[in-house]
């Protein structure tokens, strides 16, 4: 499993963590999961649920992106 920070969006201001399986290959046949904020809780999720879920899914071969919506966690609010 690998985890890395990812910045994206029009101005690369959205921040997230990409959790990938150790043997992940982008071959066009894979799918992934995107986890967004649960209310005002940032990308770790309530009780770090999203961290545990992303790591569990990576162990099963599924890449996961958990990110902070604008104005929550490390993603600044839009102007």
């Amino acid at each position: 499993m690998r985890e890395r920070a990812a910045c994206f969006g029009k101005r690369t201001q959205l921040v997230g963590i990409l959790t990938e399986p150790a043997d992940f290959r982008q071959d066009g046949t894979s799918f992934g999961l995107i986890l967004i904020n649960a209310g005002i809780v940032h990308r770790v999720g309530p009780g770090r649920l999203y961290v545990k879920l992303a790591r569990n899914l990576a162990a099963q071969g599924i890449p996961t992106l958990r990110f902070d919506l604008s104005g929550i966690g490390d993603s600044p609010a839009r102007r």
Side-chain angles (χ1 to χ4, degrees), residues 36-46 50 67-69 72-74:
I36 59 172
N37 301 84
I40 61 169
V41 179
H42 69 299
R43 69 181 169 272
V44 300
Y50 288 178
F67 77 97
D68 294 333
L69 293 171
I72 299 175
D74 292 322

Side-chain angles (χ1 to χ4, degrees), residues 48-59:
R48 293 183 54 86
L49 174 67
Y50 288 178
V51 175
K52 296 171 189 174
L53 179 60
R55 290 176 180 170
N56 188 293
L57 289 168

Side-chain angles (χ1 to χ4, degrees), residues 17-19 30-36 50 53-54 57-58 62-67:
I17 301 295
L18 178 61
T19 305
S30 299
F31 70 95
L33 183 67
I34 299 174
L35 300 172
I36 59 172
Y50 288 178
L53 179 60
L57 289 168
I62 301 169
T64 304
L65 174 68
R66 49 192 164 91
F67 77 97

